[in-house]
Amino acid sequence: MQGYTVKTLTQFIIEQQASIPYATGEFSRLLYHIGVAAKIVNKKVNKAGLVDILGEAGHVNVQGEAQKKLDLMANWQFIQSLRNSRECCGIASEEDQEVITWDDDQLTRDGNYVVCMDPLDGSSNIDVNVSIGTIFGIYRRISPRGERVTMDDFMQPGHKQVAAGYVIYGSSTMLVYTAGNGVFGFTLDPSIGEFCLSNFLIKTPAEGRIYSVNEGNFEHFPQGVKDYIRYCQGVDKPTGRPYSTRYIGSLVADFHRNLLKGGIYMYPPTAAAPNGKLRLLYECNPIAFIAEQAGGRASNGAERILDIQPESIHQRMPFYVGSAHMVQKVEELLSHEG
Ligand code: AHM
Ligand code: MG
């Protein structure tokens, strides 16, 4: 029987590390542990239909949304794995009001990195077998090693991320990440339990033909966004319009499709949610870093996402991300609003 050659995530990380002079392996260890947590969460997500894990856990998370059982499990799993890595000294998670630290644990306090994460995004889709995802952004701490992490460690603008990624639990499970030198995708081969390199140096088309937005909120969008949606719907052969609308309501899945095919994802402000819905630290920033690394663009309509100075760990931000020309177009229309 013929075998086949694969490059696993672990192997890839080791090779990448070897190409960075003086790299100590700390960062590689951190990424490795994220991969381990992703595999465990994947197993549970796959099993979700079989065991009594579906449904709400009876708690409300910090945004007042009902937490699903799988959210809690994923949160716990990633926290444990990050702690085990000994490289992470603090976590900001969508599921926890305060940042997570391990002050009793000197080894962990010595860690050089903080992680901002949404352990299971798109959780309203859990019960209906639609793709969900994990999102993470990694920063080097600015407070001295060995001491308690401070809020300043988390209040760094997105361009300070040393790496960011997402895991999509979909028809297959993928881990996509960037460490600032391109975007790489790994597909989980369940038969060997390894993430295998499947997408080398992902580049997103500068122009796309898909727009993804919750159009049910149309009446509440800023005029510039309404104008952009009308533009997408307009008929124009040279630009390939009308564009297609595709909206799963699961950021990772919507973004991943648009990244590969070309398109724009938007979560604009509405009257009820003047800052939009998505969270800057653990949803917008990691996705924005990946988008830019793939040649795309990410903005809040007026400003580059990665330049925004965070003010609190759960802060929300309007979000426009994807193919560079499409994001520029909506920015241009928004700027006419005055
Ligand atoms: P969540 O973090 O509570 O899961 O919410 C984030 C999700 C995104 O994945 C998705 O793009 C968006 O919420 C969908 O929101 P809406 O249902 O308002 O369109
Ligand atoms: Mg989320």
Side-chain angles (χ1 to χ4, degrees):
M1 195 184 123
Q2 190 110 35
Y4 62 101
T5 318
V6 292
K7 182 165 289 185
T8 66
L9 174 64
T10 314
Q11 174 67 17
F12 187 80
I13 296 169
I14 292 168
E15 285 177 16
Q16 292 281 304
Q17 182 195 319
S19 68
I20 306 167
Y22 312 115
T24 59
E26 293 170 349
F27 176 64
S28 305
R29 235 176 345 258
L30 187 62
L31 269 181
Y32 169 79
H33 278 83
I34 288 176
V36 170
K39 283 193 253 182
I40 298 172
V41 170
N42 174 66
K43 226 175 132 201
K44 307 247 177 163
V45 167
N46 284 172
K47 263 193 168 173
L50 297 174
V51 295
D52 180 28
I53 201 165
L54 294 178
E56 291 169 13
H59 300 282
V60 169
N61 71 4
V62 287
Q63 279 84 33
E65 297 149 354
Q67 284 180 327
K68 308 273 175 175
K69 287 180 190 174
L70 273 173
D71 292 31
L72 299 179
M73 179 280 301
N75 194 36
W76 186 88
Q77 195 61 59
F78 274 94
I79 292 169
Q80 295 312 311
S81 216
L82 289 167
R83 180 177 194 163
N84 287 343
S85 77
R86 299 290 192 198
E87 308 300 347
C88 172
C89 53
I91 301 171
S93 165
E94 173 170 326
E95 302 299 338
D96 291 280
Q97 177 77 53
E98 308 292 340
V99 299
I100 299 156
T101 58
W102 302 276
D103 294 326
D104 53 326
D105 184 339
Q106 186 62 47
L107 275 175
T108 310
R109 238 162 56 180
D110 283 345
N112 204 15
Y113 297 95
V114 296
V115 175
C116 299
M117 66 169 185
D118 184 348
L120 212 54
D121 183 66
S123 46
S124 63
N125 291 313
I126 290 174
D127 294 354
V128 289
N129 211 358
V130 165
S131 299
I132 45 184
T134 297
I135 310 172
F136 60 91
I138 305 174
Y139 297 79
R140 203 167 277 117
R141 69 185 298 175
I142 46 185
S143 59
R145 292 178 86 157
E147 291 183 12
R148 267 187 93 150
V149 280
T150 66
M151 220 14 113
D152 290 348
D153 294 320
F154 293 93
M155 295 297 104
Q156 302 187 57
H159 66 80
K160 295 277 189 192
Q161 287 172 109
V162 293
Y166 59 80
V167 184
I168 174 167
Y169 310 97
S171 47
S172 61
T173 293
M174 282 189 77
L175 188 150
V176 175
Y177 90 95
T178 182
N181 55 356
V183 181
F184 303 95
F186 299 80
T187 303
L188 183 64
D189 181 339
S191 64
I192 57 170
E194 294 281 3
F195 281 108
C196 302
L197 183 61
S198 53
N199 300 64
F200 187 79
L201 275 183
I202 298 173
K203 288 288 168 203
T204 196
E207 195 69 75
R209 291 185 181 173
I210 296 173
Y211 70 103
S212 308
V213 64
N214 186 344
E215 259 179 286
N217 294 329
F218 184 88
E219 286 306 328
H220 303 286
F221 288 154
Q223 190 55 44
V225 174
K226 289 182 181 170
D227 292 345
Y228 182 68
I229 292 173
R230 294 260 184 259
Y231 170 84
C232 293
Q233 296 168 338
V235 179
D236 180 57
K237 249 199 172 152
T239 53
R241 287 178 293 138
Y243 298 153
S244 291
T245 177
R246 295 279 183 274
Y247 190 68
I248 298 168
S250 189
L251 171 62
V252 171
D254 279 310
F255 173 75
H256 182 72
R257 179 202 53 239
N258 292 357
L259 178 73
L260 299 182
K261 296 194 168 196
I264 183 170
Y265 172 96
M266 304 188 276
Y267 210 107
T270 61
N275 294 317
K277 177 182 183 190
L278 301 182
R279 274 54 66 116
L280 176 62
L281 259 63
Y282 42 79
E283 291 175 329
C284 305
N285 273 337
I287 296 290
F289 190 21
I290 292 167
E292 286 198 5
Q293 281 290 314
R297 190 176 173 95
S299 131
N300 69 356
E303 209 180 333
R304 179 185 177 221
I305 287 288
L306 297 181
D307 283 339
I308 296 170
Q309 175 59 49
E311 285 165 4
S312 63
I313 59 173
H314 297 295
Q315 126 186 42
R316 296 174 195 264
M317 195 53 62
F319 196 38
Y320 307 88
V321 65
S323 294
H325 294 169
M326 299 178 91
V327 177
Q328 273 162 347
K329 180 82 184 168
V330 73
E331 284 174 323
E332 181 197 316
L333 292 170
L334 280 164
S335 74
H336 294 163
E337 271 180 49

